[in-house]
Amino acid sequence: MNDQSVNAPGLAAPEWRTKSANQTRLAFGQALLEIGARESRAVVLSADTQDLLGIRPWIERFRERFIEMGIAEQNVIGAASGLATTGMRPYVCAYAPFISARSMEQVRNDVAYANQRVVIGAAASGISLGVAGGTHHSLEDLALMRSLPNMNVIVPADVDEAYKATLATLDIDGPVYLRLGGRVEEPPVTDPQAPFQLGKAAQLRSGKDLAILACGAMVEMAVRASDTLKKEGVGARVLNMSSIKPFDREAVLAAAAETRGIVTAEEHHLAGGLGGMVAELLAVEHPTRMRMVGMPDAFAIVGPTPKVRAKYGMSAEAIVAACRSLLG
């Protein structure tokens, strides 16, 4: 990782971070520029997402390694898989709700089954497109993607982690699904100096009373919840579970063994996501009291993202309430 990949103490923020504007979707686009300079085989395919993922600078710099496929996600995945068979390193830029659902057959057969080195940058995940309605929400993508053999699934919590995780895909031998946010600010919450490690959780708060395991936009909320509980004398450990697959079994088992219970938090349906992943492990290896914060079994209403999140209990306050309920 070069000197511009992180913000060193006492130095001005690197250009990529300023241009990312606290949005992981833009950090992905900025990281692609570094990847393009490092890897001559890297090629970017867009499903009408030149602005969504901020890839116009890539087009200007690497025009011969850019393909605009339009609103045709199935074709994008097929083309990316074909390019991978020739030794190219394709990076797909797409909307999460469409690349995960509309092209699921191609992702399964052409990418995962064939174990192709295709990286899918899936922006506007969860309900970050709150004003667009249920067709534009992506609340089942983690369940879909983590169910596929060979697929690596990453959910960065902020722009620093998104940038580093994107660069890390150069060393991942297999397909990757990178779940990114939408046009909603994602406050910084991770350590800019800490390296991204596939398959490892990062502890952001310590605590022995309970553990909050979160991913994506909910990580910052989990930290705020932990800080609130600390004022009440409750020690809430916070684990950033950005690596959904592979995930840090040891960190989860340690949290279960060392605390009185676990609360999971995700911007995803409660079925099949982070909470389900944690419950599957603990049910077999270390039965543990749990609470899950996430989207209920419903299609979300239309509205501003923060208000929609709050309506369905995806907030720091909801995490605090779940923790209190767990502790009784």
Side-chain angles (χ1 to χ4, degrees):
M1 193 172 295
N2 69 6
D3 292 338
Q4 293 185 338
S5 62
V6 294
N7 186 12
L11 297 180
E15 183 180 13
W16 72 260
R17 199 184 193 295
T18 301
K19 291 184 175 180
S20 296
N22 279 343
Q23 296 179 53
T24 55
R25 65 185 179 93
L26 298 178
F28 177 82
Q30 288 295 308
L32 288 181
L33 295 174
E34 176 68 21
I35 287 174
R38 293 190 194 184
E39 175 54 80
S40 61
R41 296 172 298 170
V43 57
V44 168
L45 298 89
S46 165
D48 192 30
T49 55
Q50 294 182 25
D51 293 317
L52 179 68
L53 285 114
I55 54 177
R56 291 191 186 276
W58 172 282
I59 300 171
E60 295 173 2
R61 192 175 304 179
F62 306 110
R63 184 64 185 86
E64 73 285 357
R65 289 190 274 152
F66 174 76
I67 305 173
E68 175 57 69
M69 303 288 290
I71 306 174
E73 285 78 11
Q74 293 166 319
N75 291 343
V76 173
I77 293 298
S81 177
L83 286 167
T85 66
T86 71
M88 298 295 286
R89 300 295 303 274
Y91 284 79
V92 172
C93 297
Y95 281 84
F98 310 130
I99 203 67
S100 63
R102 182 178 295 153
S103 60
M104 183 59 185
E105 180 179 358
Q106 287 71 29
V107 171
R108 182 189 66 185
N109 296 342
D110 298 347
V111 174
Y113 180 73
N115 198 25
Q116 299 287 16
R117 295 183 75 169
V118 173
V119 177
I120 302 171
S125 64
I127 51 174
S128 57
L129 284 179
V131 296
T135 59
H136 285 57
H137 297 159
S138 183
L139 293 162
E140 60 286 308
D141 56 329
L142 293 183
L144 292 171
M145 293 299 163
R146 80 176 184 90
S147 71
L148 296 175
N150 298 324
M151 183 64 74
N152 298 277
V153 182
I154 303 170
V155 189
D158 61 14
V159 296
D160 288 300
E161 190 166 48
Y163 191 91
K164 290 180 287 189
T166 304
L167 295 185
T169 62
L170 282 171
D171 299 320
I172 298 175
D173 187 13
V176 179
Y177 182 79
L178 255 168
R179 192 184 204 237
L180 307 165
R183 293 181 172 90
V184 181
E185 185 173 346
E186 296 150 285
V189 66
T190 66
D191 179 1
Q193 304 304 312
F196 173 80
Q197 294 181 281
L198 184 68
K200 293 295 182 182
Q203 182 170 306
L204 303 181
R205 291 290 187 274
S206 60
K208 293 290 187 179
D209 292 314
L210 53 83
I212 307 171
L213 279 55
C215 65
M218 300 299 289
V219 174
E220 185 268 339
M221 299 181 197
V223 168
R224 284 196 279 125
S226 176
D227 292 344
T228 296
L229 290 166
K230 185 177 182 180
K231 297 175 183 177
E232 302 174 7
V234 176
R237 179 181 310 185
V238 175
L239 294 182
N240 173 19
M241 303 295 294
S242 57
S243 183
I244 295 293
K245 185 179 182 181
F247 79 109
D248 197 337
R249 293 167 47 91
E250 289 71 25
V252 175
L253 291 171
E258 296 167 5
T259 71
R260 295 164 57 189
I262 286 178
V263 173
T264 60
E266 59 194 311
E267 189 175 333
H268 186 273
H269 277 133
L270 292 173
L274 172 63
M277 177 184 78
V278 171
E280 289 164 13
L281 171 66
L282 297 181
V284 175
E285 300 200 21
H286 197 290
T288 304
R289 297 181 68 214
M290 286 186 64
R291 297 289 187 275
M292 299 182 188
V293 173
M295 183 69 190
D297 187 21
F299 288 105
I301 61 171
V302 174
T305 299
K307 292 185 177 181
V308 177
R309 284 172 174 166
K311 173 179 172 60
Y312 293 105
M314 291 178 285
S315 64
E317 293 75 17
I319 296 174
V320 169
C323 291
R324 289 171 179 158
S325 170
L326 180 66
L327 295 176

